[in-house]
Amino acid sequence: MSVSLIPREDGLLVSNINNQKGLQIQCEVSSTFEDTMQNSARYLIFFQYIGTKYSGAVRVPPHQLAKKGVQNYLEDAIKRLKPLHPVSLTVSSRTDTGVHAFSNSAHFDLQRKNDMPPFPADVLVEAVNFHLGTEQIRVTHAQRVPDDFHARFRAQSRTYVYRIALGVPHYSLLPLTDRDLCWSLRQTELDVGAMREAAALLVGVHDFSSFRAVNSDLPLKSPVKTLDLASIQPGGSFTQAHFHRKISFWELTFRSRSFLYKQVRRMTGALVAVGQGRLSVPQLKEILAARDSLAYPQGLAAPAHGLFLTRVEYREEDLQLSQQTSEE
């Protein structure tokens, strides 16, 4: 006896023979659907990149082929793993063109074909990195997370470090390992004491409108942010012990749950201007109090290539899978 199946609006298949057969087929199809859903896994990955050649962290539309985003390359690499459905990453932190990351993060759902079990985290890391080839992007860690986990909205803090090299008349005099990875200045010294005094004014809850650049998100995001940390500490070259002359490096570190568009680069530029004597501490305080992006001096923002996203933090309980899922 032949049985024809008709799709219902809810996605189940029913038989056109009789109700008993229909019920039996519905149960079988429903069971298969549940098994398939259990075979899908949500992953959180941490990844690093040298941002020089990329158009920021997030995906660039297909018609803009001149420079792709880091997300484009990660999704292309995951596509090579032949998932059942197309994979789309949700990136936690949208770094700009030229900005680097030691640790950005993203989540995505991946389901393998032919009812294959989810990839173990270490296998996923190795496979994605293999398919990234020579791109200056690497996945450093992966783990399965709950199905409702969100890499962007569950992030508790983001930390950025801005690297500055002093006494460098031209960027070509930097070690190769630091080129395009710091902001080189001709000055041999900065007034670090004044910079730290100015940085202390930025810590806490403020309307940072003066320190955000204008973009399409301007009407949608609150300018009020809580800056948990703004520190200025000595840094170092990546090849300090092996370079023929000493270069003085400084690192400006900022930590907050989230930042406004170009906020870190504008804060850095203002603090460096204080260190150079081009801006006083009271003037920086006035810029902050103005709560107006037009109050920020034109051309003062620090360039992108000295900035690194170094850490995205989550609460441990948000990352925990149920015991049943973790045992699968």
Side-chain angles (χ1 to χ4, degrees):
M1 180 181 297
S2 63
V3 179
S4 60
L5 300 177
I6 303 172
R8 275 191 351 196
E9 290 183 358
D10 60 5
L12 291 174
L13 300 177
V14 296
S15 167
N16 64 355
I17 298 179
N18 56 55
N19 290 336
Q20 182 177 3
K21 279 285 185 181
L23 178 62
Q24 181 180 3
I25 294 173
Q26 288 180 37
C27 293
E28 289 178 355
V29 174
S30 175
S31 175
T32 302
F33 176 74
E34 290 176 1
D35 291 343
T36 301
M37 289 303 294
Q38 289 177 357
N39 200 34
S40 178
R42 176 161 292 192
Y43 292 92
L44 168 67
I45 60 170
F46 292 89
F47 55 98
Q48 59 184 5
Y49 48 89
I50 302 300
T52 307
K53 62 173 283 191
Y54 304 113
S55 182
V58 298
R59 184 194 303 115
V60 173
H63 63 274
Q64 298 178 9
L65 296 177
K67 227 178 190 183
K68 293 198 291 185
V70 173
Q71 181 179 350
N72 292 90
Y73 290 96
L74 285 168
E75 289 177 351
D76 287 346
I78 296 170
K79 184 178 180 181
R80 301 282 295 275
L81 304 182
K82 303 185 185 306
L84 182 61
H85 306 291
V87 170
S88 177
L89 271 65
T90 298
V91 179
S92 73
S93 306
R94 302 179 180 187
T95 59
D96 298 329
T97 301
V99 175
H100 319 290
F102 285 136
S103 186
N104 203 338
S105 60
H107 79 259
F108 60 92
D109 297 320
L110 189 151
Q111 184 175 348
R112 300 176 69 187
K113 294 179 178 178
N114 302 322
D115 290 331
M116 295 286 286
F119 286 108
D122 57 341
V123 173
L124 179 69
V125 171
E126 291 183 17
V128 173
N129 284 339
F130 175 81
H131 290 301
L132 283 168
T134 58
E135 293 299 329
Q136 292 186 306
I137 306 168
R138 283 296 175 268
V139 177
T140 58
H141 176 73
Q143 65 183 90
R144 288 185 63 183
V145 288
D147 292 340
D148 62 351
F149 176 85
H150 198 287
R152 184 179 176 190
F153 299 134
R154 294 290 178 90
Q156 297 301 299
S157 71
R158 295 166 172 86
T159 302
Y160 284 89
V161 172
Y162 198 100
R163 302 180 68 239
I164 296 171
L166 299 181
V168 183
H170 193 267
Y171 70 88
S172 63
L173 298 176
L174 285 167
L176 286 175
T177 51
D178 290 291
R179 182 170 176 175
D180 295 325
L181 302 175
C182 66
W183 184 14
S184 57
L185 301 175
R186 289 178 175 272
Q187 291 89 346
T188 57
E189 292 184 359
L190 293 172
D191 186 343
V192 176
M195 292 173 67
R196 286 173 174 161
E197 183 183 351
L201 298 174
L202 300 174
V203 175
V205 181
H206 300 286
D207 182 327
F208 283 98
S209 292
S210 298
F211 289 91
R212 71 170 168 184
V214 176
N215 73 339
S216 59
D217 290 340
L218 192 65
L220 306 175
K221 290 187 177 181
S222 169
V224 178
K225 299 290 179 182
T226 302
L227 187 63
D228 299 313
L229 175 70
S231 73
I232 302 159
Q233 301 295 334
S237 168
F238 294 132
T239 58
Q240 189 165 352
H242 310 286
F243 199 56
H244 68 276
R245 65 186 179 89
K246 184 177 180 180
I247 298 177
S248 178
F249 280 83
W250 288 88
E251 293 184 353
L252 283 68
T253 303
F254 304 93
R255 186 176 69 242
S256 176
R257 181 159 190 167
S258 62
F259 292 90
L260 300 170
Y261 180 54
K262 295 189 178 179
Q263 179 186 343
V264 175
R265 289 169 55 190
R266 288 164 77 95
M267 291 191 299
T268 298
L271 292 176
V272 168
V274 169
Q276 294 171 324
R278 296 191 292 135
L279 202 65
S280 67
V281 175
Q283 284 176 316
L284 184 140
K285 187 175 183 179
E286 290 174 3
I287 293 172
L288 177 64
R291 295 180 294 180
D292 183 357
S293 60
L294 296 177
Y296 188 87
Q298 191 172 2
L300 201 64
H305 55 256
L307 185 58
F308 289 78
L309 172 62
T310 61
R311 192 174 181 86
V312 181
E313 293 187 286
Y314 299 96
R315 291 184 301 191
E316 193 63 36
E317 53 264 37
D318 289 337
L319 304 176
Q320 295 300 316
L321 288 169
S322 66
Q323 185 174 1
Q324 178 182 356
T325 303
S326 60
E327 289 174 354
E328 291 175 355

